[in-house]
Amino acid sequence: KAGSKIRLIFNNNDDMTHNVVITLPGAADEVANLALQLGLKGSQMNFVPSTPKVLYHTALLQPNSSESIYFVAPSKPGEYMFICSYPGHGSVMRGVLKVVK
């Protein structure tokens, strides 16, 4: 629900590093491409580019680790994409956070 307090728990049960990056509607592909362009700075930045199109994100988590983040859902209803912005992952590791009135 718009404006709700959210606790997102990300459990990385994979054998690779991953993160969760929540973007503005329609910005997931752009954010994934910006993360790829970080190059050598990417790991220092958790592969999260500095752009207002990123709303919330976890750190880049190692295998078998977890992190909780807390945020307030956007006030504007819509479909907010989330991706793993680790290079090459953003095109298939994605989902939708649906914000309703």
Side-chain angles (χ1 to χ4, degrees):
K1 193 168 188 179
S4 295
K5 293 180 182 177
I6 296 176
R7 175 183 180 201
L8 182 142
I9 303 168
F10 174 46
N11 295 308
N12 182 7
N13 298 322
D14 199 9
D15 60 357
M16 299 181 68
T17 56
H18 298 292
N19 63 10
V20 175
V21 179
I22 301 172
T23 71
L24 289 175
D29 291 335
E30 180 181 346
V31 169
N33 288 331
L34 289 170
L36 185 60
Q37 293 171 19
L38 291 174
L40 296 176
K41 297 184 300 183
S43 60
Q44 296 170 352
M45 298 177 67
N46 291 301
F47 288 100
V48 178
S50 296
T51 172
K53 294 184 179 183
V54 170
L55 298 179
Y56 316 105
H57 64 86
T58 66
L60 190 64
L61 296 184
Q62 295 301 314
N64 299 310
S65 61
S66 65
E67 180 183 14
S68 294
I69 60 172
Y70 301 84
F71 59 92
V72 175
S75 59
K76 182 178 177 185
E79 294 190 349
Y80 294 79
M81 296 291 298
F82 61 88
I83 62 168
C84 172
S85 63
Y86 189 83
H89 293 191
S91 61
V92 293
M93 297 185 75
R94 53 179 56 211
V96 176
L97 171 68
K98 292 185 180 185
V99 176
V100 296
K101 279 186 172 183

